[in-house]
């Protein structure tokens, strides 16, 4: 099965968790795009959605789904998003698409976070995928030095600006055996908006599309 097909299958599985008339948190990326397509095709009428990026907002609006301000919705019952890596404890690396900060905010505001991935994203220990860190532009060099001190090799994501007008440092080589500790350490560096470790607030459930069907973790 192609990776695109696996994304469609996991998107369909997530759709079964969506209740009509509710406000849904929606992540960012190609797997989420497949989910938005399935949601649109299903005809399920939401009360609206809270979006995690400008790209997702555009896609939701094109599908006729009203995008609501998180400041007005209160907590959400459900957030659906993809990931770049998932470990056996449902801790994640996210931000390959650069939307990590708003994704982390919507995840924090949601009572249930269902992560949808294909099996290529599942790892034993996080860290093969370079860890994205969103940084205020004036702090780029300072944060890079601090990340080196933590054992990483940061690289500026060339030509990329986040929805908040910041830059991304993609960091290789960090020891992520204790991802909660590393998430805390990185997020304390002045100038860091947030890092792409979703360990303190991981996913509540992971739906994994495999050749053999959907696995629930
Ligand atoms: C965007 C993200 C995405 O969820 C992550 O990059 C996975 O994307 P895709 O579904 O395209 O593989 O964190 O910031």
């Amino acid at each position: 099965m192609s990776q695109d097909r696996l994304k469609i299958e996991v998107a369909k599985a997530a759709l079964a968790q969506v209740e009509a008339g509710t406000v849904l948190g929606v992540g960012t990326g190609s797997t989420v795009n497949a989910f938005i397509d399935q949601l649109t095709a299903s005809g399920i009428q939401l009360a609206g959605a809270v979006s995690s990026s400008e790209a997702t907002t555009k896609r939701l609006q094109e599908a006729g789904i009203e995008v609501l301000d998180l400041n007005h919705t209160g907590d959400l019952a459900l957030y659906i998003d993809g990931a770049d890596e998932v470990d056996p404890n449902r801790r994640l690396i996210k931000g390959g698409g650069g939307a990590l900060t708003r994704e982390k905010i919507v995840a924090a505001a949601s009572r249930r976070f269902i992560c949808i991935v294909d099996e290529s994203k599942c790892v034993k220990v996080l860290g093969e995928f370079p860890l994205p860190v969103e940084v205020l532009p004036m702090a780029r060099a300072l944060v890079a030095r601090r990340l080196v001190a933590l054992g990483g090799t940061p690289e500026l994501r060339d030509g990329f600006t986040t929805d908040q007008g910041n830059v991304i440092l993609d960091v290789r080589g960090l020891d992520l055996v204790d991802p909660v500790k590393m998430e805390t350490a990185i997020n304390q560096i002045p100038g860091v908006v947030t890092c792409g470790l979703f360990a303190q607030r991981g996913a509540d459930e992971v739906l994994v599309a495999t050749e053999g069907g959907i696995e629930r973790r």
Side-chain angles (χ1 to χ4, degrees):
M1 217 185 289
S2 72
Q3 210 177 11
D4 282 350
R5 190 67 231 169
L6 291 172
K7 286 176 187 180
I8 292 170
E9 292 306 318
V10 80
K12 283 182 180 166
L15 197 60
Q17 307 297 317
V18 175
E19 277 182 40
T22 59
V23 177
L24 181 67
V26 183
T28 297
S30 56
T31 316
V32 165
N33 288 345
F35 169 74
I36 295 171
D37 291 346
Q38 292 303 317
L39 181 62
T40 311
S42 74
I44 294 174
Q45 293 296 313
L46 296 173
V50 171
S51 169
S52 62
S53 65
E54 296 300 325
T56 290
T57 295
K58 185 167 177 286
R59 221 164 161 117
L60 288 167
Q61 288 173 338
E62 282 168 359
I65 297 168
E66 188 180 2
V67 176
L68 303 172
D69 183 337
L70 182 63
N71 290 305
H72 300 149
T73 60
D75 281 355
L76 308 177
L78 180 60
Y79 177 54
I80 293 183
D81 197 359
D84 300 298
E85 277 187 357
V86 180
D87 82 2
N89 295 311
R90 301 185 304 279
R91 300 174 298 197
L92 319 169
I93 286 183
K94 290 185 46 55
L100 59 158
T101 297
R102 293 191 195 185
E103 291 172 338
K104 203 175 262 195
I105 292 167
V106 185
S110 300
R111 287 190 289 280
R112 189 162 164 235
F113 172 10
I114 299 181
C115 182
I116 51 173
V117 292
D118 63 73
E119 57 192 339
S120 70
K121 307 289 185 66
C122 297
V123 297
K124 284 210 172 81
V125 178
L126 299 173
E128 185 79 19
F129 191 91
L131 178 67
V133 181
E134 180 166 352
V135 179
L136 270 70
M138 74 163 286
R140 175 177 47 87
L142 167 73
V143 173
R145 289 195 296 276
R146 297 286 176 88
L147 290 167
V148 169
L150 287 172
T153 306
E155 189 181 333
L156 181 66
R157 194 178 294 185
D158 213 17
F160 185 85
T161 306
T162 69
D163 287 344
Q164 290 70 243
N166 297 315
V167 297
I168 299 270
L169 295 173
D170 290 303
V171 193
R172 294 178 189 278
L174 290 167
D175 180 351
L176 300 182
V177 166
D178 186 344
V180 171
K181 193 172 163 197
M182 189 58 83
E183 182 179 5
T184 306
I186 294 175
N187 285 347
Q188 280 175 350
I189 303 171
V192 167
V193 180
T194 198
C195 72
L197 278 168
F198 284 55
Q200 291 168 19
R201 200 278 183 257
D204 299 305
E205 197 175 329
V206 181
L207 299 178
V208 184
T210 73
E211 292 296 333
I214 300 295
E215 287 177 15
R216 209 171 272 267
R217 297 182 184 171

